PDB file of all heavy atoms in Angstrom:
ATOM      1  N   GLU A 115      22.925 -25.383   5.356  1.00 42.00           N
ATOM      2  CA  GLU A 115      22.043 -25.790   6.387  1.00 42.00           C
ATOM      3  C   GLU A 115      22.669 -26.781   7.314  1.00 42.00           C
ATOM      4  O   GLU A 115      22.157 -27.816   7.591  1.00 42.00           O
ATOM      5  CB  GLU A 115      20.720 -26.357   5.801  1.00 42.00           C
ATOM      6  CG  GLU A 115      19.831 -25.319   5.188  1.00 42.00           C
ATOM      7  CD  GLU A 115      19.176 -24.491   6.261  1.00 42.00           C
ATOM      8  OE1 GLU A 115      19.889 -24.088   7.196  1.00 42.00           O
ATOM      9  OE2 GLU A 115      18.038 -24.185   6.150  1.00 42.00           O
ATOM     10  N   ASP A 116      23.860 -26.483   7.714  1.00 44.00           N
ATOM     11  CA  ASP A 116      24.498 -27.360   8.676  1.00 44.00           C
ATOM     12  C   ASP A 116      23.709 -27.535   9.939  1.00 44.00           C
ATOM     13  O   ASP A 116      23.273 -26.571  10.568  1.00 44.00           O
ATOM     14  CB  ASP A 116      25.826 -26.707   9.116  1.00 44.00           C
ATOM     15  CG  ASP A 116      26.924 -27.089   8.090  1.00 44.00           C
ATOM     16  OD1 ASP A 116      26.552 -27.764   7.109  1.00 44.00           O
ATOM     17  OD2 ASP A 116      28.012 -26.671   8.223  1.00 44.00           O
ATOM     18  N   GLU A 117      23.460 -28.763  10.240  1.00 42.00           N
ATOM     19  CA  GLU A 117      22.711 -28.998  11.475  1.00 42.00           C
ATOM     20  C   GLU A 117      23.625 -29.385  12.603  1.00 42.00           C
ATOM     21  O   GLU A 117      23.666 -30.553  13.051  1.00 42.00           O
ATOM     22  CB  GLU A 117      21.605 -29.986  11.272  1.00 42.00           C
ATOM     23  CG  GLU A 117      20.614 -29.572  10.228  1.00 42.00           C
ATOM     24  CD  GLU A 117      19.748 -28.381  10.789  1.00 42.00           C
ATOM     25  OE1 GLU A 117      20.014 -27.906  11.965  1.00 42.00           O
ATOM     26  OE2 GLU A 117      18.977 -27.872  10.014  1.00 42.00           O
ATOM     27  N   ASP A 118      24.406 -28.500  13.095  1.00 43.00           N
ATOM     28  CA  ASP A 118      25.295 -28.839  14.235  1.00 43.00           C
ATOM     29  C   ASP A 118      24.452 -28.955  15.483  1.00 43.00           C
ATOM     30  O   ASP A 118      24.112 -27.936  16.078  1.00 43.00           O
ATOM     31  CB  ASP A 118      26.357 -27.768  14.397  1.00 43.00           C
ATOM     32  CG  ASP A 118      27.360 -27.735  13.319  1.00 43.00           C
ATOM     33  OD1 ASP A 118      27.497 -28.824  12.654  1.00 43.00           O
ATOM     34  OD2 ASP A 118      27.865 -26.665  13.006  1.00 43.00           O
ATOM     35  N   GLU A 119      24.173 -30.126  15.803  1.00 41.00           N
ATOM     36  CA  GLU A 119      23.340 -30.323  17.010  1.00 41.00           C
ATOM     37  C   GLU A 119      24.105 -30.107  18.301  1.00 41.00           C
ATOM     38  O   GLU A 119      23.731 -30.649  19.330  1.00 41.00           O
ATOM     39  CB  GLU A 119      22.684 -31.622  16.955  1.00 41.00           C
ATOM     40  CG  GLU A 119      21.751 -31.782  15.746  1.00 41.00           C
ATOM     41  CD  GLU A 119      20.561 -30.902  15.875  1.00 41.00           C
ATOM     42  OE1 GLU A 119      20.708 -29.622  16.118  1.00 41.00           O
ATOM     43  OE2 GLU A 119      19.436 -31.285  15.733  1.00 41.00           O
ATOM     44  N   ASP A 120      25.082 -29.405  18.317  1.00 43.00           N
ATOM     45  CA  ASP A 120      25.932 -29.161  19.483  1.00 43.00           C
ATOM     46  C   ASP A 120      25.335 -28.096  20.330  1.00 43.00           C
ATOM     47  O   ASP A 120      25.913 -26.951  20.424  1.00 43.00           O
ATOM     48  CB  ASP A 120      27.312 -28.877  19.133  1.00 43.00           C
ATOM     49  CG  ASP A 120      28.105 -30.142  18.823  1.00 43.00           C
ATOM     50  OD1 ASP A 120      27.569 -31.265  19.164  1.00 43.00           O
ATOM     51  OD2 ASP A 120      29.178 -30.115  18.193  1.00 43.00           O
ATOM     52  N   ASP A 121      24.222 -28.318  20.848  1.00 43.00           N
ATOM     53  CA  ASP A 121      23.618 -27.317  21.698  1.00 43.00           C
ATOM     54  C   ASP A 121      24.493 -26.853  22.777  1.00 43.00           C
ATOM     55  O   ASP A 121      24.486 -25.665  23.162  1.00 43.00           O
ATOM     56  CB  ASP A 121      22.316 -27.705  22.199  1.00 43.00           C
ATOM     57  CG  ASP A 121      21.363 -28.060  21.027  1.00 43.00           C
ATOM     58  OD1 ASP A 121      20.757 -27.152  20.470  1.00 43.00           O
ATOM     59  OD2 ASP A 121      21.320 -29.242  20.686  1.00 43.00           O
ATOM     60  N   ALA A 122      25.142 -27.809  23.362  1.00 40.00           N
ATOM     61  CA  ALA A 122      25.929 -27.552  24.605  1.00 40.00           C
ATOM     62  C   ALA A 122      27.174 -26.773  24.297  1.00 40.00           C
ATOM     63  O   ALA A 122      27.697 -25.988  25.133  1.00 40.00           O
ATOM     64  CB  ALA A 122      26.289 -28.858  25.210  1.00 40.00           C
ATOM     65  N   VAL A 123      27.709 -26.974  23.137  1.00 41.00           N
ATOM     66  CA  VAL A 123      28.919 -26.305  22.766  1.00 41.00           C
ATOM     67  C   VAL A 123      29.157 -24.876  23.257  1.00 41.00           C
ATOM     68  O   VAL A 123      29.986 -24.442  23.917  1.00 41.00           O
ATOM     69  CB  VAL A 123      29.175 -26.417  21.256  1.00 41.00           C
ATOM     70  CG1 VAL A 123      29.780 -25.132  20.662  1.00 41.00           C
ATOM     71  CG2 VAL A 123      30.165 -27.549  21.016  1.00 41.00           C
ATOM     72  N   ALA A 124      28.163 -24.103  22.844  1.00 40.00           N
ATOM     73  CA  ALA A 124      28.323 -22.693  23.137  1.00 40.00           C
ATOM     74  C   ALA A 124      27.430 -22.307  24.323  1.00 40.00           C
ATOM     75  O   ALA A 124      26.602 -21.434  24.276  1.00 40.00           O
ATOM     76  CB  ALA A 124      27.969 -21.795  21.946  1.00 40.00           C
ATOM     77  N   ARG A 139      16.214 -22.952  21.727  1.00 43.00           N
ATOM     78  CA  ARG A 139      16.863 -22.495  20.573  1.00 43.00           C
ATOM     79  C   ARG A 139      18.044 -23.362  20.316  1.00 43.00           C
ATOM     80  O   ARG A 139      18.655 -24.023  21.237  1.00 43.00           O
ATOM     81  CB  ARG A 139      17.451 -21.063  20.786  1.00 43.00           C
ATOM     82  CG  ARG A 139      16.375 -19.959  20.800  1.00 43.00           C
ATOM     83  CD  ARG A 139      17.041 -18.708  20.582  1.00 43.00           C
ATOM     84  NE  ARG A 139      16.089 -17.557  20.836  1.00 43.00           N
ATOM     85  CZ  ARG A 139      16.018 -17.042  22.063  1.00 43.00           C
ATOM     86  NH1 ARG A 139      16.631 -17.531  23.087  1.00 43.00           N
ATOM     87  NH2 ARG A 139      15.190 -16.016  22.221  1.00 43.00           N
ATOM     88  N   SER A 140      18.433 -23.476  19.109  1.00 45.00           N
ATOM     89  CA  SER A 140      19.652 -24.183  18.760  1.00 45.00           C
ATOM     90  C   SER A 140      20.686 -23.166  18.370  1.00 45.00           C
ATOM     91  O   SER A 140      20.334 -22.067  17.978  1.00 45.00           O
ATOM     92  CB  SER A 140      19.423 -25.224  17.634  1.00 45.00           C
ATOM     93  OG  SER A 140      18.979 -24.505  16.470  1.00 45.00           O
ATOM     94  N   VAL A 141      21.911 -23.605  18.492  1.00 41.00           N
ATOM     95  CA  VAL A 141      22.992 -22.656  18.158  1.00 41.00           C
ATOM     96  C   VAL A 141      23.586 -22.953  16.842  1.00 41.00           C
ATOM     97  O   VAL A 141      23.976 -24.091  16.527  1.00 41.00           O
ATOM     98  CB  VAL A 141      24.070 -22.689  19.249  1.00 41.00           C
ATOM     99  CG1 VAL A 141      25.140 -21.716  18.889  1.00 41.00           C
ATOM    100  CG2 VAL A 141      23.459 -22.389  20.598  1.00 41.00           C
ATOM    101  N   GLY A 142      23.735 -21.979  16.077  1.00 41.00           N
ATOM    102  CA  GLY A 142      24.203 -22.185  14.719  1.00 41.00           C
ATOM    103  C   GLY A 142      25.721 -22.078  14.753  1.00 41.00           C
ATOM    104  O   GLY A 142      26.360 -21.861  15.728  1.00 41.00           O
ATOM    105  N   PRO A 143      26.292 -22.266  13.589  1.00 42.00           N
ATOM    106  CA  PRO A 143      27.701 -22.406  13.378  1.00 42.00           C
ATOM    107  C   PRO A 143      28.526 -21.190  13.895  1.00 42.00           C
ATOM    108  O   PRO A 143      29.434 -21.345  14.642  1.00 42.00           O
ATOM    109  CB  PRO A 143      27.851 -22.359  11.836  1.00 42.00           C
ATOM    110  CG  PRO A 143      26.615 -22.911  11.308  1.00 42.00           C
ATOM    111  CD  PRO A 143      25.576 -22.554  12.371  1.00 42.00           C
ATOM    112  N   ARG A 148      19.822 -19.722  16.753  1.00 46.00           N
ATOM    113  CA  ARG A 148      18.767 -19.960  15.771  1.00 46.00           C
ATOM    114  C   ARG A 148      17.449 -19.531  16.293  1.00 46.00           C
ATOM    115  O   ARG A 148      17.153 -19.537  17.470  1.00 46.00           O
ATOM    116  CB  ARG A 148      18.665 -21.456  15.445  1.00 46.00           C
ATOM    117  CG  ARG A 148      19.899 -21.885  14.600  1.00 46.00           C
ATOM    118  CD  ARG A 148      19.398 -23.064  13.725  1.00 46.00           C
ATOM    119  NE  ARG A 148      20.449 -23.473  12.794  1.00 46.00           N
ATOM    120  CZ  ARG A 148      21.376 -24.334  13.120  1.00 46.00           C
ATOM    121  NH1 ARG A 148      21.334 -24.884  14.287  1.00 46.00           N
ATOM    122  NH2 ARG A 148      22.317 -24.661  12.248  1.00 46.00           N
TER     123      ARG A 148
END
Side-chain angles (χ1 to χ4, degrees):
Chain A
E115 288 288 44
D116 278 359
E117 296 295 356
D118 291 332
E119 295 296 48
D120 282 341
D121 299 278
V123 137
R139 291 197 189 85
S140 58
V141 179
R148 284 210 178 89

